[in-house]
Amino acid sequence: MTVGAELPPLEIPITRTLIVAGAIASRDYQDVHHDAELARQKGSPDVFMNILTTNGLVGRYITDHFGPTAVLRRVAIRLGAPNYPGDSMVLTGRIEEVDGDTATVRVTGSNGIGRHVTGTVTVTVRGAVTVTVPAEGGAR
């Protein structure tokens, strides 16, 4: 973990299924997250992703990068442009601070209409896990 290091981007297709499933999984039954007609009646062009789904995707981005020993200590995000079906969101990150086995990462997620999410994630990474795969034909 090095201050200034960039995490590789992660592109996430924003599907209607992802939006609805995320809302249901987080028990957010607001109609704007699952009913397109009611969302339009409330001024939105379509259903849109809730903050809890975005929070989960940000967490996934960090733990996918830092591996199975990564523990999220703090996630502080703010939403901007909505995530609508048919778009994609690209998450990017930059390590801003390192203190021993803990790093603070600035995360942004942008879609076709602007910046969807900005924030910071504090993650602790304890001892790396090493997996050894035997050579082909080796002992089992």
Side-chain angles (χ1 to χ4, degrees), residues 95-109:
I95 299 175
E96 298 216 321
E97 186 179 323
V98 175
D99 182 12
D101 59 0
T102 300
T104 300
V105 181
R106 170 139 316 268
V107 176
T108 60

Side-chain angles (χ1 to χ4, degrees), residues 117-132:
V117 63
T118 57
T120 58
V121 178
T122 302
V123 59
T124 299
V125 183
R126 304 237 186 249
V129 174
T130 303
V131 177
T132 304

Side-chain angles (χ1 to χ4, degrees), residues 46-129:
D46 206 337
V47 295
F48 54 91
M49 186 175 286
N50 71 354
I51 192 169
L52 295 171
T53 303
T54 299
N55 195 66
L57 292 171
V58 167
R60 168 194 163 195
Y61 176 58
I62 297 298
T63 58
D64 280 0
H65 177 75
F66 287 100
T69 64
V71 176
L72 301 180
R73 298 294 180 189
R74 181 174 185 270
V75 178
I77 62 171
R78 179 169 294 204
L79 293 184
N83 269 340
Y84 292 117
D87 203 347
S88 63
M89 175 176 64
V90 178
L91 290 168
T92 58
R94 180 178 185 280
I95 299 175
E96 298 216 321
E97 186 179 323
V98 175
D99 182 12
D101 59 0
T102 300
T104 300
V105 181
R106 170 139 316 268
V107 176
T108 60
S110 298
N111 60 32
I113 58 176
R115 185 149 300 155
H116 172 68
V117 63
T118 57
T120 58
V121 178
T122 302
V123 59
T124 299
V125 183
R126 304 237 186 249
V129 174

Side-chain angles (χ1 to χ4, degrees), residues 4-22:
E6 302 279 337
L7 279 61
L10 173 64
E11 183 171 357
I12 300 169
I14 306 302
T15 65
R16 187 169 308 277
T17 301
L18 175 62
I19 292 169
V20 173

